[in-house]
Amino acid sequence: MSMRNTGGAGAISRVRALTIGLVIVGALVSSACQPRAEAMFHIINYSQETVTVGWKSTGGSFLTLTPGQGRPYGFAESACTDPEPDAILIATSETGKTYTYGPRICKGTSWLIGRQ
C-alpha cells in the first residue's frame, strides 16, 4: 500500500488562492481610487494636429495632445458654478490655429477640440 503526502499540495493551493485573492482586492482598491468619468472634465483632440492646451489668461500650457488623444482633467466645482470671466482654455495647434473653451468648465462634460 502506498501513501502519498497531500499536505504540501493543500498548502500550495491555499497560497495560490491567497495570491489570487490579493490580486483581486488590489485591483478593486485601485479602481475605487480613480475618479469616475462624470467627476472629470475631458479634453479630447479631434483636430488633425498636435495641440498644446493652457489657460488664456496665463499664456502657458499644461497639456499636449496628439490627434485623437484625450485626457480627463479635474477642476474645482466653482469653475462651473461661479467661473472667473477670464478662465478660458485655449488650445494652439502646431500651425498656430487656436481653439477656445470656457469660461464655464463643468465636470462630466468634454471639450472636443476641432469639432463644432
Side-chain angles (χ1 to χ4, degrees), residues 3-26:
M3 302 218 20
R4 295 191 328 197
N5 181 359
T6 59
I12 292 172
S13 293
R14 284 190 296 276
V15 168
R16 284 186 186 153
L18 179 61
T19 302
I20 291 170
L22 289 174
V23 168
I24 291 170
V25 168

Side-chain angles (χ1 to χ4, degrees), residues 3-94:
M3 302 218 20
R4 295 191 328 197
N5 181 359
T6 59
I12 292 172
S13 293
R14 284 190 296 276
V15 168
R16 284 186 186 153
L18 179 61
T19 302
I20 291 170
L22 289 174
V23 168
I24 291 170
V25 168
L28 291 173
V29 168
S30 175
S31 66
C33 294
Q34 300 297 320
R36 296 183 354 192
E38 59 269 9
M40 301 295 287
F41 174 74
H42 302 272
I43 303 171
I44 305 167
N45 181 10
Y46 279 100
S47 77
Q48 298 301 309
E49 300 178 80
T50 297
V51 297
T52 57
V53 179
W55 293 103
K56 189 173 184 179
S57 59
T58 62
S61 64
F62 62 86
L63 182 63
T64 300
L65 297 171
T66 58
Q69 187 179 22
R71 293 272 166 80
Y73 205 80
F75 290 97
E77 190 65 37
S78 62
C80 181
T81 58
D82 188 26
E84 296 289 327
D86 63 344
I88 296 172
L89 289 170
I90 186 166
T92 306
S93 74
E94 298 168 308

